[in-house]
Amino acid sequence: VRQILRFSRGGETAMGAIAITPIIKESIKLLRSTLPTTIEIRQRIRADPDWITGDPTQIHQVVMNLCTNAYHAMRDDGGVLNISLENVTLQTAREIMSLKVPPGDYLELSISDTGNGIASQVLERIFEPYFTTKKVSEGTGLGLSVTLGIVKSHNGLIEVSSRVGE
């Protein structure tokens, strides 16, 4: 319910200076206890410094939403879930969808999986509210649209790359 209200009303956030590494490691610990053993979690957390201005609850939600989607892509055959965090420097401004960031130093959170990939006609719609390819009992179609909203509110970018079979 909070997720739906936050999405529809733009909900309040608790923005402040936070270290992101502990949030990601906490999320990984929770994921390890809930994902089947057929899914291996690999992490590469190398960001230093790892401080952002953000809302820790929302960062946790982003990680969990993306990893849950990765799980759904691999639940039948298993696979590898990769989670990495590293420092990056953008030499020029970048714009993806409606998100734009100036040149500068950033943290890059990357979540990837070895699932079957996403068809291009589905990939075009994944950030639409209530769009889902899951069964009714498996999801609301809000996870990625909420994730996009959180990334936008944190002045970040989100980039997706996928092909069927990869």
Side-chain angles (χ1 to χ4, degrees):
V1 171
R2 277 190 217 125
Q3 188 177 14
I4 292 169
L5 290 174
R6 180 172 283 176
F7 178 77
S8 64
R9 290 192 271 188
E12 294 181 20
T13 61
M15 299 294 249
I18 58 171
I20 196 170
T21 297
I23 298 166
I24 294 171
K25 288 188 175 185
E26 176 187 321
S27 299
I28 292 170
K29 193 183 299 184
L30 180 61
L31 287 164
R32 283 195 201 282
S33 66
T34 58
L35 295 180
T37 57
T38 57
I39 296 176
E40 176 187 352
I41 300 175
R42 294 183 188 159
Q43 63 177 312
R44 193 177 84 211
I45 311 294
R46 299 192 292 179
D48 185 24
D50 70 340
W51 290 88
I52 65 166
T53 300
D55 179 332
T57 301
Q58 288 187 337
I59 298 301
H60 184 270
Q61 186 173 6
V62 164
V63 174
M64 296 305 290
N65 284 353
L66 295 174
C67 290
T68 298
N69 277 13
Y71 156 69
H72 281 278
M74 299 183 292
R75 66 180 162 194
D76 293 336
D77 300 322
V80 179
L81 171 61
N82 292 294
I83 303 168
S84 69
L85 180 70
E86 57 191 348
N87 302 92
V88 297
T89 300
L90 295 181
Q91 302 299 327
T92 59
R94 296 230 10 234
E95 184 173 356
I96 298 172
M97 294 181 282
S98 62
L99 309 175
K100 186 186 287 187
V101 297
D105 295 326
Y106 294 90
L107 290 174
E108 179 180 73
L109 171 65
S110 177
I111 298 174
S112 64
D113 65 72
T114 58
N116 291 325
I118 304 170
S120 60
Q121 65 270 25
V122 173
L123 194 61
E124 294 171 1
R125 300 190 60 202
I126 62 173
F127 293 110
E128 291 178 16
Y130 306 108
F131 175 77
T132 184
T133 59
K134 298 173 185 152
K135 296 176 186 170
V136 173
S137 62
E138 295 177 343
T140 61
L142 283 175
L144 290 178
S145 58
V146 167
T147 296
L148 177 63
I150 292 170
V151 169
K152 188 173 188 173
S153 74
H154 284 74
N155 300 312
L157 295 176
I158 188 165
E159 188 172 15
V160 180
S161 176
S162 186
R163 285 188 291 254
V164 174
E166 296 181 18

